[in-house]
Amino acid sequence: MSTSSTSASSVLRVLAMIMGSTHHAAVADVVFHNGSHGLCMSESTDTVSAMVNAYYHMQLSVTLRAEVPENEIAELRWHLGSGPRPQSLLALSDEVNVFLRGPAYRRGSDPDLMVDLSSGVDGKLVLTAWQEPAPDEVDRLEALFCWLAARADATASNDNGSVCVGRLRFSDEPEWTNTIVVRSGDRVAYPRIPGPPASKLLPDGDSEVTTWDDFAARLSVTLMRLCEGECITLDTDGEGFVQFLGWSSDEVIGHVSLGKDPLRLPDGEAAMRELGWHEPDNLFDWHRRIQRPVSGDEYQGAAAATVSALRGVLDVRSPQQLALSSFSNNFGEEPDVSAMGMTPTPRQVEGYPHAD
């Protein structure tokens, strides 16, 4: 079997397991946020298992506004485990009930686990907590972070309107260097514990890209791991380029610029229509949307349409002619392009729409 066909069949198998097309018991234990699945593949058995013993140290400290209604405070106390369940719940689901009290249960932890909601010196309620959550537990707390930010005292807001509700550090980090920040009311930013690189999901993932079939298999895995606020750009030798944006947690947008070559445009536009790309609008050039959750076939389809656009419209003869660059709007994070088999370059296309 050729290298390219091996890559294609392997990525289909991996995508099927991750996206749920094939039942696999270990997939239920994947706990990493927003596409960054903590997966390990065994080369001998081709089985997938979740990483274990990955956790955070988390501190929360939020002063609430004095005018927060008492019924909302009662709901908060219940979620924190310090009050009875209210007769009717207002905003938060049971999923945020992850707080623990008592001795720390992680090796190397100093303080006891605690959570407290009590009056501060000015009479306003202050939430403080020390917890050691697993990654999936932090994900489940995002709704609580947004709830707290919306009700935080005005002094908690930064100049850009964001609100810091606490701090995180990885289990093996000695210093508190990362914050939990809520932006625009419902966007939570904090560093995620990374899973194995996407290159480990392919048997030849660490090697350089070879054929177009190999490129398509690699792009499928890369798109699967693309998170909100991340961008991947593939520049051609000419003016054209292909770009994929993690537009939201539920959507990836790919768009293709044909450049300004007048000889290419009429035939190229007709070809793009035939390939299923949507015509340019006020935000994107020729584009297509991937709405999550999706099957592995849809990632494969997007990769195949990209290859067809690069070869048939932009006249790129081989993947080696492409220049890969990427960026992330998520502080301290970078898109996982390890499976692409290409060395990223600092060169980026100007004028791309930002995933804000």
Side-chain angles (χ1 to χ4, degrees):
M1 183 178 292
S2 66
T3 301
S4 60
S5 61
T6 300
S7 297
S9 62
S10 177
V11 69
L12 283 171
R13 185 174 63 254
V14 172
L15 286 170
M17 287 189 289
I18 294 175
M19 302 311 300
S21 301
T22 301
H23 178 72
H24 199 286
V27 175
D29 295 327
V30 175
V31 295
F32 293 77
H33 176 86
N34 196 24
S36 299
H37 301 283
L39 298 175
C40 299
M41 172 166 278
S42 168
E43 295 181 0
S44 59
T45 62
D46 282 348
T47 58
V48 176
S49 59
M51 293 178 65
V52 296
N53 297 327
Y55 66 95
Y56 295 102
H57 296 292
M58 181 179 73
Q59 290 181 347
L60 298 181
S61 179
V62 183
T63 299
L64 301 177
R65 298 195 306 269
E67 60 269 24
V68 178
E70 182 55 39
N71 59 343
E72 295 188 6
I73 296 299
E75 180 181 359
L76 176 61
R77 291 188 186 279
W78 176 67
H79 286 298
L80 298 178
S82 59
R85 179 189 175 96
Q87 291 185 349
S88 61
L89 299 181
L90 303 175
L92 299 172
S93 72
D94 295 358
E95 290 189 345
V96 303
N97 298 5
V98 300
F99 290 92
L100 300 174
R101 292 171 172 80
Y105 58 96
R106 308 290 192 184
R107 181 181 302 175
S109 299
D110 294 327
D112 288 344
L113 301 183
M114 56 80 66
V115 57
D116 179 69
L117 183 65
S118 57
S119 297
V121 293
D122 55 359
K124 297 177 181 178
L125 287 175
V126 179
L127 169 65
T128 55
W130 172 285
Q131 297 288 300
E132 294 176 339
D136 63 326
E137 293 173 329
V138 179
D139 292 345
R140 287 158 52 192
L141 286 171
E142 287 195 9
L144 176 62
F145 299 153
C146 294
W147 191 95
L148 292 170
R151 293 158 179 79
D153 188 68
T155 57
S157 295
N158 299 316
D159 293 340
N160 61 3
S162 63
V163 178
C164 177
V165 297
R167 302 188 296 175
L168 279 175
R169 62 181 172 88
F170 298 135
S171 57
D172 58 351
E173 287 184 324
E175 303 294 335
W176 295 95
T177 57
N178 302 297
T179 56
I180 307 170
V181 176
V182 179
R183 302 190 180 106
S184 303
D186 62 354
R187 293 187 59 191
V188 182
Y190 57 89
R192 273 71 178 181
I193 294 178
S199 60
K200 300 304 180 184
L201 298 179
L202 294 171
D204 57 347
D206 291 325
S207 61
E208 293 185 2
V209 63
T210 53
T211 65
W212 281 115
D213 286 344
D214 183 33
F215 173 86
R218 293 170 179 274
L219 181 59
S220 297
V221 171
T222 301
L223 294 180
M224 178 186 66
R225 300 287 289 268
L226 192 66
C227 297
E228 178 181 357
E230 296 182 344
C231 173
I232 296 171
T233 301
L234 294 162
D235 282 319
T236 69
D237 289 341
E239 295 178 332
F241 64 88
V242 178
Q243 192 171 71
F244 287 94
L245 304 166
W247 197 246
S248 70
S249 60
D250 301 321
E251 185 175 44
V252 172
I253 297 177
H255 71 119
V256 179
S257 172
L258 303 184
K260 301 177 181 179
D261 185 347
L263 298 177
R264 174 188 295 154
L265 289 180
D267 292 340
E269 291 175 351
M272 292 296 285
R273 292 188 190 96
E274 291 181 5
L275 292 171
W277 293 87
H278 300 293
E279 296 193 15
D281 56 23
N282 61 337
L283 278 180
F284 304 105
D285 294 305
W286 292 89
H287 60 280
R288 61 189 297 142
R289 298 173 182 269
I290 304 173
Q291 299 284 350
R292 292 168 168 162
V294 300
S295 66
D297 289 343
E298 293 190 55
Y299 286 114
Q300 286 283 318
T306 301
V307 169
S308 296
L310 288 169
R311 299 182 68 182
V313 181
L314 294 176
D315 197 28
V316 180
R317 288 170 292 176
S318 72
Q320 287 75 20
Q321 289 183 272
L322 299 171
L324 170 67
S325 59
S326 64
F327 81 95
S328 175
N329 283 336
N330 304 318
F331 179 76
E333 299 182 23
E334 293 292 335
D336 184 354
V337 295
S338 61
M340 290 298 297
M342 306 166 67
T343 302
T345 69
R347 181 163 61 100
Q348 293 184 0
V349 177
E350 297 180 357
Y352 51 75
H354 289 274
D356 292 331

